[in-house]
Amino acid sequence: MRFSEGSLGRFFVCRLNYESDLLDSIRRFADEKGVKVAVFFVLGAVKKARFSFYDQEEKRYLEHEIDEPMEVLSCIGNISKMKEETIVHGHIVLSNRKGRSYGGHLRNGTIVFSAELFIMELEGTVLEREYDEVTGLNLFKL
Ligand code: ZN
């Protein structure tokens, strides 16, 4: 196991705008506030969602789009950098009106109905991503 040690920095509590893009809102907020490394979680509801599943054999994402109102049961993730770009990596679990759940790797196109976002900044650590040949993913450079 590789690791980096830091400490908690600033803490933000946010209410996301109606019909905003969930992933994009987090990235923009991090850029506005100069947050380079953080963890976050979200509760709320969405009007529709886009998420994906990583096929480990094919090394590519399979996309899913569900165009109906759903609860955000859980959405957790982290914020890091790849070159100068802010990378928001989130996973989301949703449920529809029948209580059926879906989930995966959060994508742009997940549209907020209402959402409560908590961001906890991590200080004293640098999280850069780099391409990993074994998995085909951009992983932490530790
Ligand atoms: Zn992921």
Side-chain angles (χ1 to χ4, degrees), residues 1 7 21 37 41-42 66-67 87 96 129 136-137 139:
M1 182 190 306
S7 57
D21 185 288
V37 182
F41 51 92
V42 179
I66 299 179
D67 193 358
I87 306 293
N96 68 7
R129 290 186 178 273
L137 296 168
L139 302 180

Side-chain angles (χ1 to χ4, degrees), residues 122-142:
L122 304 177
E123 290 182 336
T125 185
V126 176
L127 274 188
E128 276 278 330
R129 290 186 178 273
E130 65 181 352
Y131 181 74
D132 176 70
E133 299 246 338
V134 176
T135 61
L137 296 168
N138 297 320
L139 302 180
F140 292 147
K141 187 175 170 182
L142 293 171

Side-chain angles (χ1 to χ4, degrees), residues 3-82:
F3 73 96
S4 173
E5 186 172 341
S7 57
L8 284 178
R10 294 175 292 172
F11 187 97
F12 301 96
V13 180
C14 314
R15 191 182 94 181
L16 274 63
N17 292 333
Y18 180 74
E19 292 189 339
S20 59
D21 185 288
L22 178 56
L23 190 63
D24 202 44
S25 296
I26 299 168
R27 186 183 52 73
R28 281 186 196 199
F29 184 79
D31 282 344
E32 270 176 35
K33 294 294 179 186
V35 174
K36 294 184 171 67
V37 182
V39 292
F40 68 86
F41 51 92
V42 179
L43 294 177
V46 296
K47 299 182 87 168
K48 64 179 193 175
R50 281 192 65 225
F51 52 89
S52 57
F53 172 84
Y54 189 69
D55 185 314
Q56 297 175 13
E57 293 293 320
E58 301 269 327
K59 293 186 179 175
R60 68 183 184 92
Y61 283 100
L62 308 175
E63 303 298 330
H64 297 283
E65 183 166 350
I66 299 179
D67 193 358
E68 64 175 306
M70 288 176 286
E71 298 286 328
V72 178
L73 303 183
S74 179
C75 176
I76 61 167
N78 56 60
I79 296 168
S80 61
K81 291 279 183 184
M82 186 158 176

